Amino acid sequence: MSEHKDFLRTIVEKDLDSGKYKNIITRFPPEPNGFPHIGHAKSIAINFGIARDYNGHCNLRMDDTNPTTEDTKYVEALKDAVQWLGFEWKGDVRYTSDYFDKLYEWAQELVKMGKAYVDSLDEETMREYRGTITEPGKRSKYAERSVEENLDLLERMKNGEFKDGEHVLRAKIDMSAPNMKMRDPLMYRIRHAHHYRAGDKWAIYPMYDFGHCLSDYIEGVTHSICTLEFENNRDIYDWVINTLGLEPPRPYQHEFARLGINYTVMSKRKLLELVNEKYVNGWDDPRLPTIAGLRRRGYTPESILNFCESIGIAKANSTVDVAQLEFAIRDDLNTKVPRVMCVLEPLKVTIENYEGTEEFDAPYYPEDIPKEGTRAVPFSKEIYIERDDFSENPPKGYNRLTPDQAVRLRSAYIITCKEIIKDANGEITEIIAEYNPDSKSGSDTTGIKVKSAIQWVDAASSKKIEVRVYDRLYSCENPDGLEDLNPDSLKVIRDALIEPAVITDKPDERFQFERQGYFYADPIDYTDKNPVFNKIVGLKDSWGKKDKPKETRTERKPQEKKVQIDGEVEPMTESEQALFEKYTGKFKLNSMVADILARDEKLSSFYADALAVNNSPVSIANLVANEVARELKEKEISDLKFNASQIAELVKMVDDETISSKIAKEVFEEMSKSGDNPAKIVEDKGLVQISDPAVIEPIIDDIIAKNQDNVEKFKAGNTKLLGFFVGQTLKATGGKANPQVVNQLVAQKLK
């Protein structure tokens, strides 16, 4: 366990040290109404991880209280996800339905205590009676029913004598409570539906707020860890346990920030829509953020757990860049998988002066990977290369095969182009080439210098494969609906060619196809006769330029990123490694940002200059590695409109809360065009951050008054709408309001 403890582990240690608990028991309690996704992976890692770290145990419990949406296939998917991630639960899988009899007894006890009653109001009236944020609610007239009448009605509800919605059981708490969750919350509702485990025994089912806390108590759970959306439910959690007078030790609820990732939806409703309407090919479609989908795509358990660890455990919701998840799988596979040659868009090359056949002994791993293994790569006069590894009219900086430029075939010979053959449409169909017999890799005596080596496969022995190239399912950062789907999220290549050892020797199930990315043998559709590979992830983030005109590989300048010709990240030099260790150690940068800065001399120099002016290493690093790096892709430092001192000044204004991070991006864009100092831009445009509650509160009040429908939905439990009100406030202030102040004020006013 890391020496740096998150706030949840700090709570656990305090409870152990004080003697509050002798043993730590946690639980992972999903509702079995869909396949688990990457957000569940974070919860699994937290609950099982804390239990492991403190020699306790974690229960796997299905919160199966809604028979209309639950299914055994979801139960199996949840069990499989936990085990695949490397965790084991204590004893058998548990189910809330195991406790239905005991929960019902406790409900009867609350009725006898005068703390619960059967309500017969219709749903609309019940909502109206709840009141508003500023006005107390009104208790139902049915709350005056006698204990005997309530017990009789509750029993008849259980026995199925009433229709769905005709009655509910409510706790009798406080209709004027500031926390609207406490205004006589529902405890049981009627559901005439077959339960996948309980059968038709029950016609009523407990609500989450009643069943969850008591299930925790039954199991001896000490720390009931859940996401922030249940923060207001904590009062009900405590009320139920305290009112029933349950003997200690008892559980307590603690909340953490749920996982949000850009370009991704994790709403079960939206995922179910994608599956049911066949926008994707089932719950394990590799484009989905489900654990089954990530697993089929080729993600490893280690990469997902490393990702969860890297993002940490926070108390405030935020959105994580999906590039961080993609970095985690690259980082994991880089030291694990063999490198092989595959041609996705084959172009035939005939080597006219070569006769016969031979084999080259090629390593599976580069020198900096401490793994051994080689394979025989067949070679003959007819081979295939990647179509864009040849250019008849190459742009400046193109380093591969051209009519005037030789190239090395990876692990083989140097070839030169002699003739270009085209079809009637002018499409290149074949290259006639010549090889140098003295240029064999490893024993080259020619002294010929070439700028690159390219992958290739032998025409006679290569194997045809199907390659499924997956991209992000959504085309925008914050997707909302089906209109945001990326139409190019899947491309199927049916005539790709791969070297034979991959199919015949099967050295692994995951591979790096050189210069293409990481790929995985599809666990369902792959056969020896028809091999199918899924693209896990590219060798680098391809979305950094999505907002710019699409570039072909031949148009990229060689200085954009230090990458070897086979696509593997070039090992760091000693000086780069020293910088990387300094950045991640002393400066506390994350490894991805540190890697970007350490490998690029221009960026590291610019970073050092900015840091000399303002000692804010993390904030400056993030700005330099993203915004400044984008500018330097096409320019030299001397061509920039701004300098390092101005960047340092911009970061200081964010650190001092003079401007927000969002405004900082706007200021940077103006700096890159005009070269003006950030302070001048902020003053001229009136962009100073607003942090005074007296200024912000009237704006929030106006937004709340104009959006009463959303206020009601928020009161009804849709806590996601907190973000709506925050967003509207920021929008109304042109992004100038301090987000932290806005969050606090909105939360206070909506309570």
Side-chain angles (χ1 to χ4, degrees):
M1 182 174 55
S2 170
E3 292 183 5
H4 175 72
K5 299 179 182 67
D6 57 75
F7 77 94
L8 290 175
R9 284 175 169 81
T10 300
I11 291 171
V12 169
E13 289 191 7
K14 182 180 178 182
D15 289 344
L16 285 172
D17 292 342
S18 68
K20 187 174 182 178
Y21 303 112
K22 293 182 179 179
N23 299 302
I24 298 301
I25 302 175
T26 59
R27 81 291 169 271
F28 174 56
E31 186 178 355
N33 60 358
F35 273 53
H37 52 60
I38 186 72
H40 292 100
K42 179 180 178 182
S43 182
I44 291 169
I46 290 173
N47 282 288
F48 283 91
I50 286 177
R52 174 201 61 206
D53 291 347
Y54 296 97
N55 299 314
H57 71 261
C58 182
N59 295 335
L60 173 60
R61 180 175 76 236
M62 302 297 160
D63 182 24
D64 55 348
T65 59
N66 187 353
T68 62
T69 61
E70 295 156 358
D71 196 289
T72 53
K73 68 181 179 183
Y74 301 135
V75 172
E76 293 306 313
L78 286 157
K79 290 163 60 178
D80 184 61
V82 172
Q83 292 176 320
W84 182 71
L85 287 170
F87 298 107
E88 289 294 333
W89 52 87
K90 177 74 176 290
D92 295 330
V93 175
R94 299 162 188 258
Y95 301 84
T96 301
S97 57
D98 290 338
Y99 315 134
F100 278 176
D101 288 308
K102 184 60 181 175
L103 294 178
Y104 184 71
E105 289 178 16
W106 272 322
Q108 290 176 309
E109 187 173 337
L110 287 174
V111 171
K112 293 174 184 177
M113 295 168 64
K115 296 296 185 180
Y117 62 95
V118 174
D119 194 3
S120 306
L121 291 177
D122 61 78
E123 187 176 347
E124 185 177 346
T125 305
M126 196 179 299
R127 189 182 303 114
E128 179 186 339
Y129 277 20
R130 289 191 69 203
T132 67
I133 294 173
T134 57
E135 298 177 359
K138 176 183 177 181
R139 181 159 281 155
S140 168
K141 63 181 180 180
Y142 299 108
E144 302 305 317
R145 281 170 167 156
S146 66
V147 169
E148 291 74 21
E149 184 180 3
N150 280 319
L151 288 174
D152 176 64
L153 286 170
L154 180 60
E155 184 71 14
R156 292 167 64 193
M157 287 166 61
K158 178 178 77 73
N159 294 335
E161 294 185 26
F162 304 109
K163 298 176 182 178
D164 286 9
E166 195 170 348
H167 303 290
V168 295
L169 182 70
R170 298 179 71 174
K172 196 173 188 179
I173 306 179
D174 182 1
M175 289 303 293
S176 62
N179 179 0
M180 295 187 66
K181 294 278 188 182
M182 296 293 282
R183 297 185 182 181
D184 291 11
L186 272 61
M187 296 167 57
Y188 272 90
R189 79 290 207 204
I190 299 171
R191 284 283 188 275
H192 287 281
H194 180 81
H195 191 282
Y196 74 107
R197 294 187 76 250
D200 298 314
K201 177 181 178 180
W202 297 87
I204 59 170
Y205 293 90
M207 303 296 291
Y208 170 87
D209 285 322
F210 182 67
H212 187 74
C213 56
L214 293 174
S215 297
D216 284 347
Y217 179 78
I218 291 170
E219 296 177 8
V221 169
T222 57
H223 297 80
S224 182
I225 300 168
C226 59
T227 50
L228 275 176
E229 63 194 287
F230 296 102
E231 184 176 18
N232 288 337
N233 301 65
R234 190 196 321 141
D235 288 344
I236 310 177
Y237 190 102
D238 292 338
W239 182 89
V240 171
I241 291 177
N242 293 337
T243 303
L244 285 168
L246 301 179
E247 294 183 2
R250 54 150 290 187
Y252 287 87
Q253 178 176 304
H254 307 278
E255 306 87 20
F256 68 95
R258 70 184 304 168
L259 176 60
I261 303 178
N262 59 5
Y263 295 101
T264 309
V265 298
M266 286 188 280
S267 156
K268 282 186 179 179
R269 177 182 60 80
K270 292 182 179 180
L271 291 175
L272 191 63
E273 180 182 29
L274 291 172
V275 173
N276 288 345
E277 299 301 320
K278 302 191 183 304
Y279 290 99
V280 294
N281 300 314
W283 284 102
D284 66 345
D285 188 297
R287 293 166 291 181
L288 290 179
T290 57
I291 295 176
L294 291 167
R295 183 177 180 180
R296 184 169 180 182
R297 185 158 177 167
Y299 274 74
T300 60
E302 295 83 3
S303 67
I304 292 176
L305 293 176
N306 288 340
F307 166 71
C308 291
E309 183 179 0
S310 72
I311 60 178
I313 302 174
K315 294 183 179 181
N317 287 325
S318 61
T319 300
V320 177
D321 192 338
V322 69
Q324 196 165 343
L325 175 61
E326 293 166 350
F327 173 83
I329 185 62
R330 286 191 199 97
D331 190 53
D332 185 49
L333 296 182
N334 181 50
T335 58
K336 289 182 176 179
V337 303
R339 276 65 166 166
V340 297
M341 294 188 290
C342 177
V343 177
L344 300 184
E345 296 184 48
L347 175 61
K348 185 177 180 181
V349 175
T350 301
I351 306 171
E352 61 180 1
N353 64 329
Y354 185 91
E355 297 296 336
T357 61
E358 62 181 300
E359 291 184 340
F360 300 106
D361 190 42
Y364 276 124
Y365 304 95
E367 293 181 359
D368 61 326
I369 301 297
K371 295 182 74 171
E372 296 182 355
T374 62
R375 80 282 192 190
V377 181
F379 182 80
S380 65
K381 72 180 302 173
E382 291 185 351
I383 63 171
Y384 286 97
I385 66 171
E386 197 68 54
R387 180 165 291 276
D388 64 1
D389 279 343
F390 176 81
S391 179
E392 185 178 10
N393 300 295
K396 184 179 179 181
Y398 185 78
N399 291 330
R400 281 155 279 164
L401 185 63
T402 76
D404 302 313
Q405 182 170 269
V407 72
R408 176 176 292 282
L409 300 175
R410 182 79 161 150
S411 300
Y413 297 103
I414 293 173
I415 64 170
T416 55
C417 172
K418 293 301 179 184
E419 183 183 352
I420 302 170
I421 299 176
K422 301 180 181 181
D423 62 17
N425 298 318
E427 180 78 14
I428 299 175
T429 57
E430 185 178 358
I431 302 296
I432 305 299
E434 185 178 87
Y435 89 113
N436 189 313
D438 298 321
S439 64
K440 186 174 181 179
S441 183
S443 59
D444 188 342
T445 60
T446 64
I448 298 173
K449 301 294 184 182
V450 293
K451 294 182 178 180
S452 67
I454 61 175
Q455 75 265 34
W456 56 276
V457 294
D458 178 55
S461 60
S462 61
K463 303 293 184 181
K464 186 168 78 169
I465 63 172
E466 177 180 316
V467 176
R468 298 170 182 172
V469 180
Y470 293 102
D471 205 340
R472 296 175 186 174
L473 184 58
Y474 290 91
S475 56
C476 65
E477 281 203 63
N478 301 299
D480 182 47
L482 299 174
E483 67 277 6
D484 296 322
L485 286 171
N486 175 14
D488 301 316
S489 61
L490 172 60
K491 176 184 177 183
V492 179
I493 302 171
R494 304 189 187 281
D495 297 312
L497 298 173
I498 201 164
E499 56 177 278
V502 174
I503 309 301
T504 58
D505 298 349
K506 292 186 173 62
D508 205 325
E509 55 188 9
R510 294 179 180 85
F511 299 87
Q512 184 191 108
F513 292 178
E514 293 187 4
R515 293 178 49 240
Q516 304 285 6
Y518 293 99
F519 293 79
Y520 178 55
D522 187 278
I524 296 176
D525 294 337
Y526 183 102
T527 65
D528 288 343
K529 185 176 181 181
N530 295 298
V532 177
F533 288 86
N534 299 328
K535 184 175 183 179
I536 308 171
V537 69
L539 293 173
K540 61 179 180 178
D541 182 9
S542 62
W543 278 70
K545 301 176 185 177
K546 288 287 184 178
D547 57 342
K548 296 183 178 181
K550 191 173 183 180
E551 297 175 337
T552 63
R553 205 176 300 172
T554 58
E555 292 169 332
R556 298 181 187 135
K557 293 187 177 182
Q559 69 268 28
E560 283 184 7
K561 189 171 181 181
K562 291 182 70 176
V563 175
Q564 281 187 333
I565 49 180
D566 61 358
E568 301 157 18
V569 176
E570 186 179 60
M572 287 185 179
T573 64
E574 290 185 10
S575 61
E576 289 172 345
Q577 185 64 37
L579 275 178
F580 179 83
E581 292 174 0
K582 177 182 178 181
Y583 292 158
T584 55
K586 180 180 178 182
F587 292 167
K588 307 298 183 185
L589 306 187
N590 73 48
S591 56
M592 186 161 53
V593 171
D595 184 84
I596 292 170
L597 296 179
R599 290 179 180 276
D600 192 306
E601 187 176 347
K602 289 190 295 184
L603 288 179
S604 59
S605 174
F606 193 97
Y607 177 55
D609 290 344
L611 207 56
V613 179
N614 176 18
N615 187 27
S616 183
V618 175
S619 297
I620 292 177
N622 290 334
L623 189 58
V624 172
N626 292 285
E627 311 300 333
V628 177
R630 188 178 69 239
E631 294 292 317
L632 284 176
K633 283 180 179 178
E634 307 296 336
K635 301 174 183 176
E636 296 297 325
I637 291 179
S638 58
D639 298 327
L640 297 176
K641 295 280 189 179
F642 55 86
N643 57 41
S645 295
Q646 290 172 310
I647 292 297
E649 181 184 349
L650 177 60
V651 169
K652 188 174 187 304
M653 296 180 78
V654 176
D655 291 344
D656 294 343
E657 296 190 349
T658 303
I659 60 175
S660 66
S661 298
K662 182 177 180 180
I663 292 296
K665 291 186 177 181
E666 182 180 340
V667 175
F668 177 82
E669 293 299 326
E670 181 60 31
M671 285 170 56
S672 65
K673 296 174 185 175
S674 67
D676 288 342
N677 286 332
K680 181 179 185 302
I681 295 171
V682 170
E683 182 178 356
D684 291 347
K685 291 180 173 286
L687 299 175
V688 174
Q689 182 165 256
I690 304 170
S691 297
D692 185 354
V695 177
I696 299 173
E697 281 186 340
I699 299 172
I700 297 175
D701 290 339
D702 183 59
I703 291 170
I704 288 177
K706 292 178 179 177
N707 292 276
Q708 281 299 305
D709 287 348
N710 281 338
V711 171
E712 292 302 318
K713 291 176 183 176
F714 180 87
K715 294 175 189 176
N718 187 355
T719 55
K720 292 180 181 178
L721 286 170
L722 179 70
F724 166 79
F725 289 104
V726 171
Q728 289 295 307
T729 305
L730 293 175
K731 182 178 180 181
T733 61
K736 291 187 286 185
N738 186 321
Q740 292 182 334
V741 175
V742 172
N743 267 285
Q744 293 170 358
L745 291 175
V746 169
Q748 289 171 7
K749 288 181 176 291
L750 290 178
K751 277 186 178 180

